[in-house]
Amino acid sequence: MSKPLQRLVRFSIVGVMNSGIDLSVFALLSYLGTHYLIAQCISFLCGVLNSYTFNRSWTFQQKGKVDKREFTKFFMLNLVVLLFTSWVLSILYTEASLPLLICKLASAVSGAFLNFAGSRLWVFRLSREKKEGIL
């Protein structure tokens, strides 16, 4: 399997784990009566904590201690993804009047594409690939 395809598969596996965490926390908070956008922020953060650990070490195979610059990029990317997915969630829930958990799932799927591209091309860009010109 090629390296880019292997990374995409690994990113997808981590994404399924993150989504499971995100959706579970969101469903619980929603059930408890938390406003959907607050639940979105809290549940997304829970998934992000898992995401950084697994994507850094397993998907993109970064070694050594955590680089402050890398973590800042990761945080900034996920802030953008959170804003985007919250916007999608809100539009689907308030304008399309779809069930809340369906809206949450659709927003998570839409954010996954943005997250992979940002992670691969900006956050966890491998130094060897930079030298070789392989993206």
Side-chain angles (χ1 to χ4, degrees):
M1 182 182 308
S2 70
K3 283 278 189 189
L5 182 57
Q6 183 181 32
R7 282 191 197 100
L8 181 58
V9 169
R10 287 181 176 187
F11 186 84
S12 297
I13 291 169
V14 172
V16 168
M17 290 185 334
N18 300 339
S19 295
I21 292 166
D22 184 9
L23 290 169
S24 297
V25 172
F26 183 83
L28 175 64
L29 292 172
S30 296
Y31 176 78
L32 295 174
T34 305
H35 187 275
Y36 72 95
L37 289 176
I38 293 171
Q40 164 71 355
C41 292
I42 294 169
S43 66
F44 187 87
L45 177 62
C46 291
V48 164
L49 294 174
N50 184 69
S51 176
Y52 184 76
T53 302
F54 282 96
N55 279 322
R56 182 179 195 279
S57 63
W58 187 54
T59 305
F60 299 107
Q61 300 178 348
Q62 298 293 302
K63 306 293 182 206
K65 70 179 193 171
V66 173
D67 180 337
K68 290 178 189 174
R69 186 169 170 237
E70 176 188 271
F71 185 79
T72 300
K73 286 180 172 183
F74 179 83
F75 178 80
M76 290 171 56
L77 171 64
N78 278 282
L79 182 59
V80 169
V81 173
L82 173 60
L83 293 172
F84 175 73
T85 57
S86 296
W87 175 74
V88 171
L89 173 66
S90 184
I91 293 297
L92 292 175
Y93 187 60
T94 61
E95 301 299 322
S97 300
L98 296 171
L100 185 57
L101 290 179
I102 297 297
C103 297
K104 172 62 177 169
L105 184 59
S107 72
V109 169
S110 68
F113 295 103
L114 178 61
N115 200 325
F116 178 77
S119 293
R120 178 70 185 99
L121 298 174
W122 189 50
V123 178
F124 298 114
R125 195 166 175 179
L126 302 176
S127 59
R128 178 182 62 79
E129 290 178 314
K130 284 182 195 176
K131 290 177 188 172
E132 295 174 5
I134 301 170
L135 295 175

